[in-house]
Structure formats: C-alpha cells, structure tokens
C-alpha cells in the first residue's frame, strides 16, 4: 500500500466530480492513504478516537483490544473495549433526541404500493421502541434471550430489532423469502423464545403468506421439542389497499398475540439495559458450505463503531443527505445500513418494502426523485434487471438529487458498473462498490467518495483498519500483483466474534484454512495499483440474485424427492441473477424423468429453502463425475455448464467416459445468457 501511486493505470476513472470532492471528508487519494496508515499503524488510538463520539456508561475494564488469530497460540478470539458498558439502541436513538434532533425524520417508509407511505421522527421512533421493549419484557423476554423476527422491511421490524437491543435481548432476523422449514431450522438453532411476524405482505402482485408460513414453522418447532409460547403478529395488511389473493390467515389464541393490542397499552418509557461492549447484539444466519446455516454473532460495541464509521465514510454521509438502501432487513446489508450504521449517524433514510419492477421498472428512480435521495445503495442483480428495460424508465426521472451510488452483494461487472455510472448517475456520482460479508459487519474493501479513483468492476482499496492480502493455495502471501484467496491479517471492531453455538466451526471456517488470517472464502486479484478485484467464492457457495446459497443446501433438498438417487448443484453465469443454479440428478432405478418430477423437485426446493434457491435448470444424467474416494467433482460440472472447452485435470475421475455424455446432455439445454 505504501507503494500506491497517485497516477494509476489507464482504467482509472478520476472521479468524483468537484461537488462530491468539495464536500467529502476525505477528498484525495493522499488524504485517504494518510488516514488509512494511521488506522493500521495504531488501531487502538484510531478506534479510541472514534469511540469517543459515542455514549459509554463506563470505560473498558481491560485492554481496548485483545485478540488471537494464530491457532498455534490458542483459541481464536477478538475483543474490543471489553468491560465498557453501553447500549446500542441508546446510541442510535436517545442520544440524538437528547441532542435536540427529536424532530428529525429517521425513516420515510414506502410500501409495495406507491401510495402507501409513513414517516417517523427520532422522537417517535424512541417511543415506539420503548413500548415494544415493554411488550417484550411483559412476555418474559430478558437480557440474553433470543427473539426471532420474520417481518417485511417495515418501521415495525426495526422497532422490534432495536427494542431487543434496548433490553439486551439478541435478535435474529430471518429473511421473509425463507420457507417454513428454513424458518423453523433457524428458530430452533437460535433457541428463540419469541417470534415476531406479520400477517402477510405483497411483493409486487404476489401475496406472501407470512403468518401461515410462521404457523407451519411453529408446528415444526413444537415437533422438534422447541415450543414457543408467543408469536406476535403485526397487521401489515391493515393499511394495504391491494386485497386480491389474500387467503384466510390462521390464528391461534393460545400463542398468537396482536401487535396492535400489545403496543396500545404499553408504556413508552423504558430504561436501556447497560451492556458490555462484548455482549452479543444479534445473530444473523448465513449459508454454510456444509448446508447447515451459520449463526453469525455480532457484539454491541465493536459492531456499533464499525457500522457507524463505514456508513459515514463509504457514503460520505452529511446531515442533509437522504439515504436509500434497497436491501432487505433480513440480510446484513439491511442490518448495517438500513438500521445500525444509518441511525448511529443520525441519518434520514428511505425504507422500501417493495420490488424495483413494481408497478413498473421506474420504481427506484421514482422514489429517488420523490424523496430527493442523495445516496442510493443497491445490488448488481437489481441493476442488471433494470438495465434490460427501455432506458425511458430511468430517463423520465430527473435523478438530480443523487450524489453517490453504491453496490453490494456480488461482483459488479464492468458493463453494469458503466450503466449505473453513465445512465443512472450521468457521470456525476461515484460508484461505491462495497465488498463485505455478514461476518465482516460492514464493508472491508471499498472506494471512498471524493478520494478513491474508481475502476469499473474493482472493489478498490481497504477501509480503515483493514489489512487485506491474497495468499496462494499453500497459504503463502502473494506480494504485489497477483491472484489468490482473499484474507485479512488483523482484527477490526466489526468482525463477527463466533458462530452461535459452535466456536469450533467458526475457527475451522474462517481461521483454520490459512492460519494467522481471517479467510473470506472469496478469490481476489490485486492489480499493479494495489486495487482489489473480487472474483467470487472459492467454496461450494453460489451467489444467485445476491443470495449466497450453499450447493449442499440445494442438494439435500433435491435428494428429498423419492426419485432422486444422487444430486449435484453448480452455478453458471446469468445475465440478471449473476449466477444461475444448475442441478444434475441421477434417478433411482425404474424412475423416468418428466415434467411432473421436475416441478415436484422445484417445489421441494421452494419449500425447504425458498423461491430464491429454485434451480434454473435440472439435468437428469446417468451418473455424476466422481473421484476414487466417491467425491463428486463439482468443478468439472461447473465447467460443463459453462461450456468451457478446457476442463482441467480429470485424471482422477473413475469413469472418464461420463464427461462426454454430460457435455452432450447439457448442450441442448444450456442457454448461454
Ligand atoms: C459476495 C453481503 C464482490 C462475496 C454483504 C462475499 C461481493 C459474499 C461483494 C457475502 C462485492 C459481497 N463484490 N462480491 N462488492 N459484496 N460479495 O454474507 O462473495 O450475504 O463473500 O454479505 O457476497 O455475502 P453476505
């Protein structure tokens, strides 16, 4: 990094424009480098200064930072500010109200229908949180208890998250695209004592029966000896004008409680619980390569510092900005940028509970114009869908308020990057491509508006306090230009502390592969300018429409169909989804493949995981390519569906003839996008 030149290669786009630069906290590459070096040379001093901007009831009782990334020296751990007492909700809301910003809008919320709107000030948000905290307490929820949230992207969902933070309960938000099975698995794994859901919602014209799904999940929980006493149901449908396709909604008085009734009688005063900086704040499940979801655990102090700092600098946030992140609350993007980072910085955000193509493909740009959004953050998969539509959907809106555009979730290919930059931002707005993971808490590699010259498709340079590097298969660090496994050398405040219930799995997933480093599971290239380009996952994960899904999860769902003897799932590039899901199945003796089986298989995946994991293509094949030990050679299947000519070393295959058979079978079906 020291060698980083200020004259970069010819791909570099010297942006942002003057207006961004004039305003920016960090307005040149030199200024970035200076601050970056301070952050890695003396991380304790650096983060101490940042921590002073937040409220702490008491100081750390031990070292500001302690950690071990070296398995040879003992267990892996990271601790920031241990012993310091704080409350995250207090820092996000009370602090601003006390400072006189109670009337500032925290959220402009817009539902699926463009005429469904709400707004809430910081003062009103605080009251709602206190009421909900009292509701939780009355239901017996106390510090350390787990609360599962299965709600659409609404102000009410945020109220539940922050009321948990207020009383020291640990929330686990489960994405509403997940099926009843997936919801039950996560409720059980998290040992949740309470579920908060909504009666239903619409995504475009499609009704999502959240309460029916929740009821099915609770039946499964009961069968697995994990009974829950209470399920709070928010009446999301009450204000919805769209009514078509709403079926009867199940209700069981012995367990279901009405959100509206409970909230109506709750007091709006609730003292925050003072928590240790290292106490858990939330658990968020992410796919694991073994198929079992991983409960990524974040703690109070470190996550707060990192989420807030990343929000401030990555989006160059100023008090008059209007921030719009299209991410769902069920993912880390929603947690960090719709909730924790944004509120910590006293932001006004647009919260959107709809889809970009409803009622038409101009929805994002319409929202941007109506709310005068300055900073718009979304995923490449949404952009790829929108860029295929007529340009008029974008150009009929002015987008004049936009200053900064951001991208997250998957690599943004240069043509999507250019469309975002040229058409949406009219070359005025930098594209902030943020690389991060559920486990990193907030971006770890991203440009800073005003400071970092951009390169279409590159995540660019590390954020404060992050020392990323690349290593080869043997764990040897690659110096300078090259390609390898992306790892991080040092701890930062927002790193996940463990996987809930399995520190062993945490260690083996993130630290054992390359001792001494945090392993991201991604491959990356570093160019001559020191810029990082994320290539994609190296493990058995695929990224479809921004959803990280493990091939093992899909395969175990495929195997549930009575006809399937063996299954393998791989990905291929896709024009809008980034990656599409291709599945190979070997049928059991006497079964023959037909459309009924195909739709049954797809419906199993939909039920087990959710619609986002349904295979795009299924190939019934006579056998799978295997090595001597019986392991399926997925990399070969991946190359076959990508129609690559060179398949690499196949000498360990038991049956060489299978390669040509598979090629022939897939050739007719594979659509090159
Ligand atoms: C991928 C999402 C390239 C990556 C915040 C990572 C990206 C996984 C980018 C984490 C990006 C995320 N460029 N790839 N800007 N951002 N990824 O946990 O493979 O849902 O490991 O967190 O998404 O997905 P997760």
């Amino acid at each position: 990094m020291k060698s980083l030149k200020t004259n970069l290669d010819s791909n570099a786009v010297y942006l942002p424009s003057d207006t961004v630069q004039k305003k920016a906290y960090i307005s040149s590459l030199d200024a970035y480098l200076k601050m970056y070096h301070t952050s890695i040379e003396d991380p304790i001093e650096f983060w101490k200064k940042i921590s002073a901007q937040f409220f702490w009831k008491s100081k750390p009782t031990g070292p500001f930072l302690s950690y071990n990334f070296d398995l040879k020296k003992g267990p892996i751990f990271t601790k920031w500010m241990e012993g310091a007492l704080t409350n995250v909700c207090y820092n996000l809301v009370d602090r601003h109200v006390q400072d006189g910003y109670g009337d500032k809008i925290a959220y402009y919320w817009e539902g699926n229908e463009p005429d469904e709107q709400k707004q809430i000030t910081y003062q009103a948000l605080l009251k709602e949180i206190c009421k909900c905290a009292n509701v939780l307490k009355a239901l017996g929820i106390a510090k350390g208890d787990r609360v599962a949230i299965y709600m659409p992207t609404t102000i009410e969902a945020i109220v539940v998250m922050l009321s948990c933070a207020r009383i020291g309960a640990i929330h686990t938000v489960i994405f509403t695209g997940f099926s009843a099975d997936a919801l039950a698995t996560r409720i059980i794994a998290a040992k949740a004592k309470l579920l908060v859901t909504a009666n239903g919602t619409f995504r475009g014209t499609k009704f999502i029966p959240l309460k029916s799904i929740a009821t099915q999940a609770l039946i499964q929980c009961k069968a697995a000896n994990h009974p829950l006493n209470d399920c709070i149901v928010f009446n999301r449908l009450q204000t919805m004008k769209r009514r078509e396709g709403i079926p009867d909604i199940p209700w069981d008085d012995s367990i279901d409680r009405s959100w509206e009734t409970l909230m109506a009688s709750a007091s709006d005063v609730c003292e925050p619980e003072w928590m240790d900086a290292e106490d858990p704040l939330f658990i968020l499940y992410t796919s694991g390569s073994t198929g079992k979801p991983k409960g990524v655990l974040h703690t109070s102090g470190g996550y707060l510092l990192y989420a807030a700092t990343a929000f401030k600098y990555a989006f160059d946030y100023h008090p008059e900005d209007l921030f719009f992140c299209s991410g769902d609350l069920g993912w880390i993007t929603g947690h960090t940028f719709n909730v924790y980072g944004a509120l910590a910085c006293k932001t006004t955000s647009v919260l959107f509970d709809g889809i970009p193509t409803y009622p038409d493909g101009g929805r994002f740009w319409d929202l941007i114009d109506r709310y005068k959004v300055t900073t718009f953050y979304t995923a490449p998969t949404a952009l790829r869908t929108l860029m295929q539509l007529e340009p008029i959907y974008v150009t009929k809106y002015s987008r004049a308020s936009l200053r900064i555009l951001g991208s997250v979730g998957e690599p943004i290919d240069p043509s999507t990057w250019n469309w975002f930059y040229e058409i949406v931002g009219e070359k005025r707005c930098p594209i902030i491509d943020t690389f991060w993971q559920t486990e990193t808490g907030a971006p770890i590699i991203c440009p800073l508006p005003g400071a970092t010259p951009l390169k279409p498709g590159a995540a660019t340079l590390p954020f404060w306090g992050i020392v990323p590097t690349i290593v080869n298969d043997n764990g040897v660090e690659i110096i300078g230009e090259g390609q390898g496994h992306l790892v991080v050398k040092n701890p930062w405040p927002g790193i996940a502390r463990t996987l809930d219930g399995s520190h062993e799995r945490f260690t083996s997933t993130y630290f054992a592969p390359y001792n001494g480093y945090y392993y991201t599971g991604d491959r990356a290239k570093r160019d001559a300018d020191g810029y990082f380009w994320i290539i994609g996952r190296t493990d058995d994960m695929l990224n479809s429409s921004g959803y990280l899904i493990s091939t093992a999860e899909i395969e175990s769902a495929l195997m549930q169909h009575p006809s399937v003897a063996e299954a393998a799932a791989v990905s291929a590039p896709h024009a809008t989804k980034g990656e599409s899901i291709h599945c190979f199945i070997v049928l059991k003796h006497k079964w023959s493949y037909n459309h009924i089986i195909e739709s049954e298989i797809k419906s199993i995946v939909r039920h087990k995981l959710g619609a986002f994991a349904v295979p795009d293509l299924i190939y019934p094949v006579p056998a799978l390519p295997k090595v001597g030990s019986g392991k399926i050679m997925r990399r070969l299947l991946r190359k076959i569906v990508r129609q690559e000519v060179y398949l690499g070393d196949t000498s360990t295959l038991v049956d060489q003839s299978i390669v040509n058979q598979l090629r022939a079978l897939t050739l007719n079906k594979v659509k090159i996008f």
Side-chain angles (χ1 to χ4, degrees):
M1 282 289 296
K2 281 231 158 83
S3 60
L4 189 80
K5 300 166 274 178
T6 16
N7 280 330
L8 307 178
D9 70 31
S10 58
N11 291 324
V13 179
Y14 281 86
L15 241 193
S17 62
D18 280 357
T19 45
V20 175
Q21 220 143 6
K22 264 186 216 146
K23 219 178 174 187
Y25 296 114
I26 309 291
S27 60
S28 70
L29 191 55
D30 279 341
Y32 158 78
L33 287 172
K34 204 165 154 225
M35 185 140 161
Y36 174 71
H37 286 299
T38 316
S39 78
I40 57 169
E41 276 151 23
D42 194 349
I44 294 180
E45 241 351 90
F46 183 88
W47 290 107
K48 246 186 203 168
K49 268 194 197 144
I50 289 181
S51 74
Q53 298 160 18
F54 297 90
F55 178 80
W56 306 91
K57 186 95 179 151
S58 63
K59 291 197 165 113
T61 47
F64 194 84
L65 163 68
S66 58
Y67 77 102
N68 175 43
F69 274 17
D70 184 353
L71 282 162
K72 290 187 216 119
K73 289 192 183 148
I76 299 297
F77 72 94
T78 303
K79 288 177 177 174
W80 288 86
M81 303 187 68
E82 198 182 14
L85 293 180
T86 190
N87 182 281
V88 174
C89 173
Y90 183 91
N91 274 290
L92 262 44
V93 191
D94 303 50
R95 197 166 51 104
H96 306 318
V97 173
Q98 282 165 22
D99 289 349
Y101 295 95
D103 291 337
K104 186 170 182 186
I105 302 284
Y107 294 105
Y108 288 108
W109 174 83
E110 187 158 311
N112 185 60
E113 309 297 322
D115 60 1
E116 205 190 2
Q117 292 149 353
K118 270 192 202 172
Q119 61 186 56
I120 191 163
T121 61
Y122 274 86
Q123 174 73 60
L125 183 62
L126 178 58
K127 286 195 171 170
E128 291 299 293
I129 292 167
C130 287
K131 279 201 253 172
C132 183
N134 286 323
V135 165
L136 298 189
K137 282 205 227 170
L139 292 174
I141 302 298
K143 181 175 174 179
D145 285 340
R146 279 93 189 277
V147 174
I149 302 174
Y150 186 63
M151 293 176 88
T153 295
T154 47
I155 293 171
E156 289 73 10
I158 295 176
V159 166
V160 183
M161 290 166 80
L162 296 183
S163 63
C164 288
R166 191 163 194 87
I167 63 170
I170 302 161
H171 63 70
T172 183
V173 182
I174 296 139
F175 171 53
T176 51
F178 277 124
S179 65
D181 282 24
L183 174 59
T185 311
R186 285 157 180 77
I187 292 174
I188 295 167
K191 302 191 182 68
K193 279 178 83 174
L194 170 74
L195 174 66
V196 189
T197 188
N199 50 0
T201 192
F202 278 93
R203 220 166 271 141
T205 53
K206 193 171 166 226
F207 180 68
I208 315 289
L210 294 174
K211 176 61 174 64
S212 307
I213 298 171
T215 300
Q216 286 170 39
L218 292 182
I219 293 169
Q220 292 188 29
C221 291
K222 201 168 179 185
N225 271 330
H226 180 80
L228 257 95
N229 295 332
D230 304 288
C231 173
I232 301 181
V233 187
F234 162 55
N235 189 350
R236 169 72 185 88
L237 299 173
Q238 196 172 30
T239 57
M240 267 198 180
K241 289 197 191 119
R242 176 178 281 279
R243 308 304 303 175
E244 304 93 80
I246 303 182
D248 284 346
I249 291 164
W251 192 271
D252 174 355
D253 277 331
S254 69
I255 177 165
D256 297 330
R257 321 264 171 255
S258 150
W259 162 272
E260 289 71 22
T261 311
L262 294 172
M263 289 289 279
S265 57
S267 151
D268 60 8
V269 179
C270 174
E271 278 306 301
E273 182 80 35
W274 299 108
M275 308 291 290
D276 192 299
E278 279 300 319
D279 275 338
L281 179 64
F282 65 82
I283 298 165
L284 186 57
Y285 285 91
T286 180
S287 292
S289 51
T290 59
K292 203 172 151 228
K294 299 179 291 197
V296 174
L297 186 142
H298 282 286
T299 52
S300 307
Y303 175 78
L304 170 68
L305 290 189
Y306 199 68
T309 310
F311 183 83
K312 175 177 169 183
Y313 288 98
F315 300 124
D316 189 41
Y317 175 73
H318 291 264
E320 62 279 17
D321 282 344
L322 210 295
F323 177 71
F324 172 24
C325 160
S326 71
D328 192 282
L329 291 177
W331 303 111
I332 191 69
T333 309
H335 281 55
T336 300
F337 288 134
N338 276 325
V339 185
Y340 290 100
L343 294 178
C345 293
K346 212 191 313 131
T347 308
T348 300
S349 303
V350 171
L351 192 66
F352 175 45
D353 188 24
I355 55 171
T357 48
Y358 178 81
D360 65 36
R363 189 72 187 272
F364 278 168
W365 326 121
D366 175 34
L367 278 160
I368 286 167
D369 274 8
R370 278 192 285 119
Y371 293 99
K372 306 256 176 303
V373 169
T374 58
T375 313
F376 175 51
Y377 189 46
T378 192
T381 182
L383 297 174
R384 286 190 298 258
T385 303
L386 299 176
M387 69 193 250
Q388 287 178 11
L389 308 176
E390 294 293 318
I392 188 76
Y393 282 113
V394 183
T395 52
K396 79 175 187 196
Y397 298 100
S398 103
R399 290 153 288 120
S401 55
L402 284 173
R403 196 166 71 85
I404 291 162
L405 297 171
S407 167
V408 59
E410 48 183 314
I412 177 165
D413 51 286
S415 60
T416 309
W417 194 100
N418 281 318
W419 182 79
F420 205 19
Y421 175 60
E422 286 170 15
I423 307 295
V424 177
E426 294 170 330
K427 300 190 181 180
R428 276 182 293 114
C429 312
I431 307 294
I432 305 304
D433 178 11
T434 57
F435 169 77
W436 57 300
Q437 309 179 294
T438 307
E439 298 84 343
T440 66
I444 57 168
I445 302 179
C446 66
L448 300 187
T452 319
L454 308 165
K455 295 187 190 183
T460 76
L461 299 170
F463 189 61
W464 311 141
I466 305 287
V467 188
T469 190
I470 43 176
V471 295
N472 69 16
D473 289 344
N474 301 320
V476 178
E477 209 173 313
I478 298 163
I479 307 295
E481 244 177 297
Q483 204 187 100
H485 304 282
L486 180 64
V487 295
V488 183
K489 281 178 158 180
N490 62 323
W492 64 99
I495 188 175
R497 303 300 196 257
T498 192
L499 291 179
D500 187 46
S502 183
H503 198 62
E504 204 181 308
R505 189 171 177 206
F506 180 72
T507 305
S508 64
T509 309
Y510 306 107
F511 292 91
Y514 302 103
N515 188 35
Y517 302 99
Y518 166 80
Y519 171 53
T520 59
D522 283 292
R523 235 184 131 65
K525 179 180 97 174
R526 184 168 46 206
D527 71 14
D529 291 324
Y531 273 41
F532 287 90
W533 301 69
I534 312 300
I535 296 167
R537 304 288 309 186
T538 55
D539 49 16
D540 289 333
M541 293 291 197
L542 47 89
N543 193 331
S544 184
S545 300
Y547 301 121
L548 206 58
I549 315 165
S550 82
T551 54
E553 265 176 325
I554 300 173
E555 288 163 10
S556 70
L558 299 172
M559 296 292 292
Q560 309 244 333
H561 192 272
S563 71
V564 177
E566 286 184 285
V570 294
S571 67
H574 187 278
T576 52
K577 296 176 170 190
E579 288 183 348
S580 52
I581 306 170
H582 294 234
C583 298
F584 291 80
I585 53 167
V586 179
L587 292 180
K588 285 182 189 156
H589 192 52
K590 289 198 180 136
W591 284 84
S592 53
Y593 197 66
N594 56 36
H595 286 298
I596 298 169
I597 295 185
E598 175 154 323
S599 64
E600 284 172 356
I601 290 178
K602 287 187 174 174
S603 129
I604 292 176
V605 180
R606 196 172 297 115
H607 277 96
K608 291 276 147 203
L609 297 166
F612 61 90
V614 171
D616 294 274
L617 282 171
I618 301 177
Y619 313 104
V621 294
L624 294 173
K626 289 188 186 162
V627 296
S629 63
K631 225 176 155 198
I632 300 165
M633 206 188 250
R634 286 192 186 71
R635 73 171 164 80
L636 188 70
L637 295 174
R638 204 174 301 135
K639 285 174 189 270
I640 288 174
V641 297
R642 287 161 194 240
Q643 299 198 349
E644 289 180 23
V645 178
Y646 179 66
L647 298 179
D649 180 13
T650 57
S651 59
T652 52
L653 274 186
V654 178
D655 175 8
Q656 295 285 337
S657 71
I658 191 72
V659 177
N660 285 337
Q661 288 185 52
L662 293 177
R663 266 205 200 281
L665 282 168
T666 51
L667 206 58
N668 295 334
K669 260 191 149 182
V670 176
K671 189 170 154 214
I672 299 295
F673 294 98

